[in-house]
Amino acid sequence: MKLSARTYRGVLAAVLAGGMLLTAGCGGGGQGDRASGSGAKERTNDGGRPHPAPIAPDGGGGAPATGVDGGAEGARKDDAFQEPQRSPDYLSTFALDVDTASYGYARRTLADGRRPEPGQVRPEEFVNSFRQDYPRPKGNGFSVTVDGARPGSAEGEIRARGDDASAGEDWSLLRVGLSTRPSDRRGERPPAALTFVIDISGSMAEPGRLDLVKEALGILTDQLRDDDSIALVTFSDEARTRLPMTGVDDNRDRIHEVIDSLEPTDSTNVEAGVRRGYDEAVEGRRRGATNRVVLLSDALANTGETEADAILDRIDDARRTYGITLFGVGVGSEYGDALMERLADKGDGHTTYVSTSAQARKVFCDQLPTHVELRARDAKAQVAFDPKTVRQFRLIGYENRAVADEDFRNDTVDGGEVGPGHTVTALYAVRLREGASGHVATATVRWLDPRTRAPHEQTGSVETDAVDGALWDEASKRLQVTAVAAYFAESLRGGAMPGAPELGELAARARKLASSTEDGAVRELAEAIAQAQRVRD
């Protein structure tokens, strides 16, 4: 699943998407339906000669660099907001992604009194961890919302090294929001064939690892439909099939017995576990069903092939040949984030992280069920900035989701698989030209119909007056939450963003937003920021 002309080796983390709920008696994960935003336009392509990529307003000829020194648009530099260099266009293209593991593991690490490693912090996964207020489309595909605000200068603002170009008053934050229609709880969905690959190595003995996995699997077993099926594979120094693909209807007690019998043993041979798991998934594959491998592990491989390269081909082959995808669930205070992400990337899957019973219930009762049927395949986004109004821009995060601009309409290049009730958010720092007025940017999302694979596109645009309001006074609460999450992520990984407050002020803003939105997830964000400040001090 290699993407041509990508700057980063990381393959996109395609979102495993879902249609109808997999379980009964669980709270829904999506937000309610809303009408599509006005002004959005949809185009379809009959799959013949591809349309040309969106043309930058200057024809793609010579534009300031987008916050990097001759590298990919998403790359980070200490001087990311210094005077721009030259770049061939004003386009930004990336594959959609709704991973949240980076934020979940950062919260766990901070709660343990440690800061996450900078390389473990992916801002898009912080931003995509929070509910948004985007309108919902009526059918498959996406609504497109583009808005923004000026952050202004903050007291104690963190500025780029060697220049004052990142001062908040010179910049706006521009939010591109994509949303899919929630599932119809009353509708039918295909049966599911799920192969759980469970880490029972010695490291899983720590509280909050195997015990949490067993609890979550027990919950899921009770919620599965009678026409679903399940297989269980465990691994430590070697892999073992505990339960071949088995129908749920008359076998719930048997499944519970296998789950309850799991105990931690020896080393962590992730390679053996994944290979055996995919063998079972292929052997037990059901036509007309959703076939998925779910890997539950701390991903601290220390036996067999400890890097992802040795097993990526197996995962990719099963995905391409049989349509079997991978969902990675990380656990543990020490967690192999990079390994888990690479495995999920290759398996057209995504990752999440759990550390409490409440989080495990959310993943297995809400999230996994909504990853059954797709709203869109191979979804990519491209944002065309107007050089008449935009001097400089930078995408916050998505470094390893980058797609070559010319591959936006190349449907052989993979994009994200997105399901019902999902939102995808991309945040840009945009520096407007002095006195600029009018069109700022047009965002286009392209996807393939999940059944017919016919390509579709939807667009949304934004003008200067829509990004000129004060972030903390005039912008929507959800845009403010998005900004707080992005500022927090950039602080943890040592980056800089325009108008970035010090952590104390950022925590105070998060607490205020938690009160006004009555959103428990925002309260948790405020606490995580406060913990980061305490760890730093």
Side-chain angles (χ1 to χ4, degrees):
M1 194 174 69
K2 293 182 180 179
L3 304 184
S4 61
R6 288 200 180 182
T7 303
Y8 293 89
R9 189 188 187 287
V11 194
L12 64 96
V15 180
L16 300 175
M20 307 314 141
L21 289 181
L22 177 66
T23 65
C26 293
Q31 299 138 34
D33 284 299
R34 297 177 60 183
S36 296
S38 61
K41 299 179 180 179
E42 182 174 356
R43 300 192 297 273
T44 61
N45 183 348
D46 62 5
R49 183 170 57 87
H51 292 302
I55 299 299
D58 66 346
T66 57
V68 297
D69 185 12
E73 173 271 316
R76 248 186 339 118
K77 297 279 188 179
D78 288 338
D79 60 350
F81 296 102
Q82 292 185 12
E83 191 66 24
Q85 305 295 316
R86 303 294 291 178
S87 176
D89 58 42
Y90 269 80
L91 297 177
S92 170
T93 309
F94 58 94
L96 301 197
D97 170 49
V98 292
D99 277 11
T100 60
S102 177
Y103 175 65
Y105 184 53
R107 284 184 53 215
R108 169 63 185 266
T109 303
L110 290 166
D112 290 343
R114 300 174 291 116
R115 289 174 71 94
E117 294 295 324
Q120 296 173 331
V121 177
R122 295 180 290 278
E124 69 275 16
E125 298 187 22
F126 281 55
V127 167
N128 283 324
S129 294
F130 297 93
R131 183 167 59 86
Q132 298 288 357
D133 53 3
Y134 309 139
R136 302 291 189 173
K138 295 180 180 179
N140 285 339
F142 299 87
S143 67
V144 181
T145 302
V146 191
D147 60 6
R150 287 186 179 270
S153 292
E155 182 177 353
E157 178 183 342
I158 303 170
R159 299 192 178 188
R161 176 169 51 83
D163 190 42
D164 67 351
S166 69
E169 65 268 17
D170 294 335
W171 292 77
S172 292
L173 297 181
L174 185 145
R175 179 179 63 161
V176 176
L178 310 173
S179 178
T180 59
R181 177 173 57 88
S183 61
D184 180 0
R185 292 170 179 267
R186 297 167 296 181
E188 290 297 320
R189 63 152 177 92
L194 306 175
T195 301
F196 290 90
V197 180
I198 306 162
D199 186 347
I200 59 167
S201 62
S203 61
M204 292 291 286
E206 174 191 297
R209 297 194 185 192
L210 186 57
D211 58 338
L212 196 61
V213 168
K214 291 168 65 174
E215 177 184 351
L217 288 177
I219 293 170
L220 181 65
T221 299
D222 290 335
Q223 304 295 340
L224 286 171
R225 278 187 350 199
D226 286 348
D227 61 345
D228 295 326
S229 56
I230 187 173
L232 297 172
V233 171
T234 60
F235 67 93
S236 53
D237 56 341
E238 60 184 20
R240 175 184 172 191
T241 299
R242 299 297 187 100
L243 184 73
M245 193 63 72
T246 301
V248 170
D249 52 355
D250 294 324
N251 295 290
R252 294 182 197 273
D253 289 343
R254 181 186 175 194
I255 295 169
H256 276 294
E257 288 175 2
V258 174
I259 294 170
D260 292 343
S261 70
L262 301 181
E263 296 293 340
T265 56
D266 301 311
S267 302
T268 310
N269 190 339
V270 175
E271 178 197 8
V274 172
R275 286 187 181 278
R276 174 62 69 88
Y278 270 88
D279 289 345
E280 289 294 335
V282 169
E283 184 176 343
R285 182 176 64 96
R286 297 173 56 187
R287 293 187 180 275
T290 298
N291 294 274
R292 180 149 303 130
V293 171
V294 183
L295 175 61
L296 303 104
S297 175
D298 58 18
L300 298 176
N302 55 25
T303 299
E305 290 288 350
T306 60
E307 300 293 335
D309 291 342
I311 48 180
L312 291 179
D313 287 344
R314 180 71 180 103
I315 292 174
D316 190 39
D317 178 68
R319 178 189 65 83
R320 292 180 180 275
T321 306
Y322 304 106
I324 298 172
T325 54
L326 178 66
F327 179 33
V329 181
V331 296
S333 58
E334 297 291 339
Y335 167 55
D337 170 74
L339 176 59
M340 184 72 87
E341 187 189 22
R342 291 191 65 201
L343 296 175
D345 284 354
K346 182 60 74 172
D348 259 5
H350 82 285
T351 62
T352 191
Y353 176 87
V354 299
S355 61
T356 67
S357 295
Q359 292 170 0
R361 180 178 288 273
K362 180 179 180 180
V363 167
F364 287 94
C365 198
D366 295 342
Q367 294 181 358
L368 183 59
T370 61
H371 296 154
V372 174
E373 192 172 349
L374 297 178
R375 287 281 186 257
R377 288 186 181 274
D378 288 327
K380 311 182 192 83
Q382 185 167 85
V383 183
F385 289 90
D386 193 328
K388 296 177 182 177
T389 56
V390 175
R391 176 181 175 187
Q392 189 179 0
F393 68 90
R394 175 189 152 203
L395 174 59
I396 308 302
Y398 288 92
E399 285 89 354
N400 63 348
R401 309 291 186 258
V403 174
D405 293 338
E406 62 269 22
D407 285 336
F408 177 60
R409 291 193 173 97
N410 181 351
D411 295 329
T412 66
V413 173
D414 280 319
E417 273 65 45
V418 183
H422 282 292
T423 60
V424 180
T425 299
L427 192 68
Y428 288 85
V430 179
R431 195 179 190 188
L432 299 179
R433 299 188 184 280
E434 185 175 356
S437 178
H439 177 256
V440 174
T442 295
T444 303
V445 59
R446 179 180 176 87
W447 73 95
L448 303 183
D449 182 275
R451 292 181 298 276
T452 67
R453 294 189 176 268
H456 299 265
E457 293 183 6
Q458 188 83 7
T459 64
S461 61
V462 67
E463 305 286 311
T464 51
D465 58 356
V467 299
D468 200 41
L471 173 63
W472 306 116
D473 297 325
E474 302 175 41
S476 73
K477 299 302 182 185
R478 289 296 162 185
L479 175 54
Q480 293 181 40
V481 171
T482 298
V484 169
Y487 281 135
F488 182 36
E490 282 295 292
S491 174
L492 288 176
R493 69 174 185 170
M497 277 179 60
E502 292 284 4
L503 286 177
E505 181 185 343
L506 195 62
R509 292 197 181 279
R511 285 192 292 270
K512 183 177 179 181
L513 286 167
S515 176
S516 61
T517 61
E518 298 182 348
D519 188 338
V522 182
R523 284 194 294 273
E524 293 171 348
L525 173 62
E527 177 56 29
I529 297 171
Q531 289 168 336
Q533 184 181 25
R534 290 193 291 270
V535 170
R536 185 192 64 183
D537 296 341

